[in-house]
Amino acid sequence: MVLFPSLLQDLLQTHPHLRPQIYFKASLTALSHAMEDQVLGSGDEPLVIANFQKERYYRQETRRYRQLAQYTPQIYVLAAPETDFAQVSEPYATIPFDPQDPLAQEWHLVVLGSHYAACLVCRERPSDTPLMDQARRFEGIWTFDRTVSQTVARLLLERILSYQPQLAEKIHQALTRYAWTVEPQETGTSGLHPGPFVERLVTYLQSSQYKVLKAYRALSDQERQQRLVNLITSAIRSTLNPEQIFPIAVQELGQNFPECRCILYRCRSHHQSARIEYEYTSPGVPSLKGVDWPLGENPLFGLALGRDRAIGLNDVTTAPELREYDQLRALLAQHRVRSWLMAPIIHQGMLLGMLELHHCGGAPYPWREVDLNLVTAIANQVGLGLVQAQAYKSLAELNQQLEALDRTRTNLIAIIGHELRTPLSTIQVCLESLATEPEMPASVRQEMLAAAMSDAERLHKLIQDFLTLSRLESGRVQWQSEAITLSECVELALAHLRSRAQRLPQIQVDLPADLPLLRTDGEGIVEVLVKLLDNACKFTSPEGRVTVRAQVQSGQMLEVVVADTGRGIEPSQLQAVFDRFYQEEGALRRTVGGTGLGLAICRQIVSGLGGQIWAESAGRGQGSKFHFTIPLGVRPDWGDMSRPVET
C-alpha cells in the first residue's frame, strides 16, 4: 500500500498563505470538543473526520463519538491499530491505517456542515525528553475557513478510500454533499462569528499550558537529579570499590548533557596538578584520561575551593576569570572546552577530588541553576562513596592484620609445641638416664651429655630469636655505627656457621677487591649473613653450592646476594617467606628444623639499617637468591645513637 505524505504538508502546499502555529495537547483537546459540540447543536447532518494518531487516544473519546453518531451518519475515525481496532463494531466508520503512515504523528479533525465549517490539522513535534501527555506540542492549522476545511476533507477521504475501498459509495456521497460545495447555504443566523472568542480562549489555554509546561520541566529536572543520585547511591551500596563507583558516576552524569566530557580526579587543595582518572566523553569528543590537569594556575579551581557547590563558566573564550591566563585558555581550546563546570568533592571540610563537566560544542552552553544543583548533588554522593571506600579499605587492612595476628598466634603455639617441647624432652630423658644409671659406660654418658648440650643450645637460640625480633619490631634497638669491610662480616658469619654445622655444601665467596668500607652496624650485618647462609645451607644438599656476591649500586648502596642451588621457593611465596613463623609446608617442618623467625629478623635489621631485602627463585628445585642492600654512609636519623669511629 502506498503511504501518503504528511497531511499538513499537503495542505500548506495547496494553501501557501496559511501560517502554522504551536498548540499544546490541552489546547487541541479544547478546540476539538468545541468543534464536536457544534455537531450536537447544529440540527443538520455534517461530515466529521477525526484522526486520533493511535488507537489508545481514540478510546478516550469512544463514548463521545457514539453520541455524535446519533446526529450524523457521515463520521470517519482513523487511528493506528494497537489491538483490535480493525474489528471494532461502531455506528460509524473506523479506519485503521499503517503505523508507518505520517498520520500516526498527526492530529486532525474536520467538521463540514450545511451552515458552518471548521478544521484542525496538526503534526506532533518531537521532543528530546519524555513529556506529560498534556504537555505534548503540535504544529499546525486551526481555521473556520470553508475552503480550507473542504481541502482537508478531500485529502482525508482519499486516504480513507485507499485503506478501505468498500467505503467508496459512502465517501462519494460525502464528497458530493460537502467537499464539493463552494459556497455555504444560507445560515439564517445573526452573523456572529466565533473566531475572536475562540482565539481568546486558545490564548488563555496556551498561557496556562506554558505555566504547566514550566512546572513540568522543573519536576522533570528534579526527577532527573533524583534518578542520578539514586543510581549512584545504589552503586555505592552495592560496592565500595571506587573503580566501579566512579565510572558509573561520570557516565551517568555525562550522558545528561550534549557534546559533553565528564571527568573525575582525586586531588588536595595544595596540589598543582592532578592526573585525570575517570572520564566519559560524548561521541566525537576527544579524551583527556591520563592527562595531568593543571590546578595551581587554574582560577576556577581556586574559586571552587571556597565553595560547597558547583561553579561554572558559560563561555571560556570571554570569561573575565580567564582573561590573564593565556596558557590555560590555549589548553582549553586545544581540548575543545567551550563551557566549563567544576564541582569540588568535599567531606567534612576536606577536599578529596574534583568533578568537572566540559561542554565541547561550537556554541557556549548556558549552565542553569538546576545543572549546578545536579552536579553538586552527584559530587556529594561521590565524596560519600570515596570516604566509605577508604573506611572499608582501612577496615579490610585491619582485618588482614588481625588475621595475620591470629595466624601468628597459631604458629607460635605450634612452634612452642614442637621447637620447645622436643629439645626439652631430649634434655629431660638424657638427664634422667644419667641420674638413674650410675653404671652407664663413659662413651654413652658422653653421648647423653652432648645431646643435652645440643638441645640446650637449640633452646637458647630459639629464645634469643624471640627476644631479638621483639626488640627489632618495637624499635628498641640502638644501632652502633662502625667502619667495617663486607669481607670481615662474611668471614665472621662463616666462622659462626662452621662452628655449629658438621656437614655443609660448598660455600663460594666472590667479593670484588675494591669494595668500599661500610659505616654501619657490623653486628647487624653479621647477624643477617649468618641467618641467610644458615638458611641456604639448610635447604641445600651437601653436594650443592652456596655463593656470596656483592656489588655497588649507583655509588650509594651496597647490594649483597646469597645464592644457593637448593630446593628453591615457589614464586607466589617470595614475599611470605619474610613473615614471622613462616613455614613452607608441613612436610618441610618435619624434615628441617626452624622457627620461621630468621628471615623476619633479617628484614627488620636490613630495614633498620636503611636498606631493602628480597628473594628470587624460579620455583621448586631451581635454587634461590636472597638480596639485601645497605647504605654506604651512616643514616642521618641515627643521630647520637651512632658511636664515633676512631680513625
Side-chain angles (χ1 to χ4, degrees):
M1 180 176 292
V2 178
L3 298 181
F4 291 88
S6 164
L7 183 67
L8 178 62
Q9 180 181 348
D10 279 354
L11 178 62
L12 294 177
Q13 290 178 352
T14 306
H15 301 278
H17 66 282
L18 297 175
R19 294 293 178 266
Q21 296 184 11
I22 301 299
Y23 299 93
F24 288 103
K25 165 74 179 297
S27 302
L28 294 185
T29 301
L31 286 172
S32 297
H33 286 176
M35 293 167 61
E36 292 160 358
D37 288 343
Q38 284 184 298
V39 177
L40 300 177
S42 64
D44 61 357
E45 295 182 352
L47 170 65
V48 179
I49 308 175
N51 170 30
F52 286 97
Q53 297 182 294
K54 297 177 177 61
E55 181 182 351
R56 61 178 177 271
Y57 301 145
Y58 151 74
R59 292 194 177 281
Q60 301 172 11
E61 302 292 332
T62 301
R63 181 179 300 178
R64 188 174 182 84
Y65 273 77
R66 287 174 182 168
Q67 184 181 7
L68 292 176
Q70 299 176 11
Y71 293 86
T72 177
Q74 286 289 345
I75 297 181
Y76 303 86
V77 175
L78 296 90
E82 294 172 308
T83 55
D84 57 350
F85 182 67
Q87 286 77 39
V88 170
S89 177
E90 298 290 358
Y92 45 83
T94 55
I95 300 90
F97 54 76
D98 192 313
Q100 301 301 319
D101 195 307
L103 290 173
Q105 305 300 323
E106 298 178 341
W107 177 321
H108 308 313
L109 177 61
V110 57
V111 178
L112 273 174
S114 301
H115 313 300
Y116 58 90
C119 72
L120 186 61
V121 181
C122 292
R123 178 171 52 199
E124 186 167 4
R125 301 187 67 179
S127 174
D128 295 333
T129 58
L131 299 173
M132 289 189 309
D133 185 55
Q134 294 301 316
R136 290 160 52 209
R137 289 185 291 178
F138 294 76
E139 178 184 28
I141 302 296
W142 166 71
T143 180
F144 289 105
D145 188 293
R146 189 175 191 85
T147 303
V148 174
S149 300
Q150 288 175 328
T151 301
V152 173
R154 284 198 299 270
L155 293 173
L156 283 173
L157 288 172
E158 289 175 5
R159 299 185 184 213
I160 292 171
L161 185 60
S162 70
Y163 280 108
Q164 291 195 352
Q166 67 271 22
L167 296 176
E169 183 177 351
K170 186 175 182 179
I171 292 173
H172 178 71
Q173 294 175 359
L175 289 170
T176 303
R177 182 174 179 182
Y178 301 106
W180 289 343
T181 304
V182 179
E183 295 295 337
Q185 299 178 10
E186 293 297 331
T187 62
T189 63
S190 60
L192 180 63
H193 195 278
F197 169 77
V198 177
E199 289 177 1
R200 185 180 295 272
L201 172 63
V202 170
T203 301
Y204 174 78
L205 289 173
Q206 295 283 83
S207 176
S208 300
Q209 197 60 40
Y210 273 111
K211 295 179 181 179
V212 172
L213 181 60
K214 183 178 180 181
Y216 171 76
R217 285 176 177 168
L219 290 174
S220 178
D221 290 335
Q222 184 178 0
E223 185 273 337
R224 180 182 62 161
Q225 175 177 331
Q226 192 62 46
R227 180 184 62 82
L228 284 176
V229 171
N230 290 342
L231 180 65
I232 296 174
T233 302
S234 299
I236 293 173
R237 290 176 178 174
S238 63
T239 175
L240 292 177
N241 184 359
E243 298 301 324
Q244 297 180 12
I245 298 173
F246 298 158
I248 293 176
V250 295
Q251 178 175 347
E252 293 298 329
L253 180 59
Q255 287 178 345
N256 280 264
F257 295 89
E259 300 179 90
C260 169
R261 178 193 299 117
C262 183
I263 62 175
L264 188 153
Y265 51 87
R266 308 181 210 210
C267 63
R268 293 291 186 268
S269 57
H270 61 279
H271 287 177
Q272 296 300 306
S273 65
R275 180 68 56 88
I276 297 177
E277 302 175 83
Y278 308 96
E279 177 190 56
Y280 165 82
T281 57
S282 299
V285 175
S287 173
L288 285 180
K289 191 171 183 179
V291 172
D292 289 327
W293 198 238
L295 302 179
E297 297 298 324
N298 186 339
L300 192 60
F301 178 76
L303 292 174
L305 289 180
R307 301 165 59 97
D308 57 358
R309 67 192 304 267
I311 182 172
L313 300 178
N314 292 340
D315 190 348
V316 299
T317 62
T318 60
E321 294 86 351
L322 306 180
R323 188 170 300 159
E324 300 178 1
Y325 296 88
D326 296 339
Q327 187 173 358
L328 178 60
R329 286 194 288 113
L331 180 65
L332 296 175
Q334 176 187 349
H335 297 293
R336 292 175 48 190
V337 180
R338 187 63 186 273
S339 302
W340 195 5
L341 187 147
M342 183 179 289
I345 302 173
I346 298 176
H347 181 73
Q348 295 182 349
M350 178 183 296
L351 180 69
L352 304 178
M354 199 67 67
L355 183 63
E356 295 189 19
L357 280 177
H358 302 162
H359 177 67
C360 301
Y365 183 88
W367 303 113
R368 302 173 298 163
E369 186 68 19
V370 66
D371 298 331
L372 302 180
N373 293 337
L374 173 62
V375 179
T376 300
I378 300 302
N380 291 339
Q381 290 300 314
V382 170
L384 180 61
L386 184 58
V387 170
Q388 290 182 353
Q390 291 174 344
Y392 179 78
K393 182 179 179 182
S394 300
L395 181 61
E397 292 175 351
L398 179 60
N399 286 336
Q400 291 177 355
Q401 294 174 3
L402 292 174
E403 291 175 0
L405 186 61
D406 185 66
R407 288 194 300 269
T408 299
R409 179 186 64 82
T410 303
N411 291 335
L412 178 59
I413 294 173
I415 291 296
I416 292 175
H418 182 268
E419 296 295 333
L420 290 181
R421 184 176 60 185
T422 300
L424 280 174
S425 298
T426 302
I427 293 171
Q428 183 180 6
V429 169
C430 291
L431 292 177
E432 287 177 352
S433 298
L434 291 171
T436 58
E437 300 291 340
E439 304 299 329
M440 183 181 299
S443 60
V444 177
R445 183 185 296 272
Q446 190 64 33
E447 290 180 5
M448 290 285 185
L449 288 173
M453 289 293 294
S454 175
D455 280 355
E457 178 64 23
R458 179 178 170 183
L459 281 175
H460 179 269
K461 180 177 179 297
L462 173 62
I463 295 172
Q464 186 63 39
D465 282 350
F466 272 116
L467 294 175
T468 300
L469 184 60
S470 176
R471 288 187 294 108
L472 287 168
E473 291 183 339
S474 63
R476 292 185 286 109
V477 176
Q478 291 188 351
W479 305 107
Q480 303 297 324
S481 174
E482 59 179 319
I484 190 171
T485 64
L486 179 63
S487 60
E488 291 180 77
C489 296
V490 173
E491 288 299 327
L492 289 172
L494 290 175
H496 180 83
L497 189 65
R498 292 188 179 109
S499 67
R500 296 188 307 174
Q502 296 180 350
R503 221 182 146 189
L504 296 173
Q506 178 187 354
I507 300 178
Q508 179 180 347
V509 179
D510 185 11
L511 300 179
D514 57 348
L515 285 179
L517 196 67
L518 295 175
R519 298 181 64 85
T520 185
D521 190 288
E523 291 185 6
I525 298 298
V526 172
E527 180 75 9
V528 171
L529 288 169
V530 167
K531 293 191 178 301
L532 291 180
L533 286 169
D534 181 61
N535 198 63
C537 293
K538 186 186 301 182
F539 297 107
T540 303
S541 66
E543 294 76 21
R545 185 175 67 255
V546 176
T547 306
V548 181
R549 300 191 300 271
Q551 63 178 356
V552 177
Q553 289 185 349
S554 306
Q556 299 180 350
M557 304 290 288
L558 178 66
E559 180 183 355
V560 182
V561 182
V562 177
D564 63 68
T565 59
R567 67 177 60 187
I569 306 169
E570 291 294 340
S572 61
Q573 301 298 311
L574 291 175
Q575 292 293 332
V577 295
F578 294 99
D579 293 341
R580 292 174 294 176
F581 307 115
Y582 172 80
Q583 298 287 353
E584 186 177 359
E585 56 185 18
L588 186 60
R589 288 198 298 270
R590 291 192 294 270
T591 58
V592 179
T595 61
L597 296 178
L599 292 179
I601 292 174
C602 291
R603 180 172 61 180
Q604 291 291 332
I605 293 175
V606 171
S607 177
L609 296 178
Q612 294 181 331
I613 187 169
W614 67 95
E616 294 179 353
S617 178
R620 298 301 297 270
Q622 303 295 316
S624 58
K625 295 180 182 179
F626 284 84
H627 304 247
F628 70 91
T629 58
I630 295 296
L632 293 175
V634 178
R635 286 187 57 181
D637 57 343
W638 285 1
D640 295 336
M641 291 189 295
S642 301
R643 62 171 179 245
V645 179
E646 296 180 2
T647 59

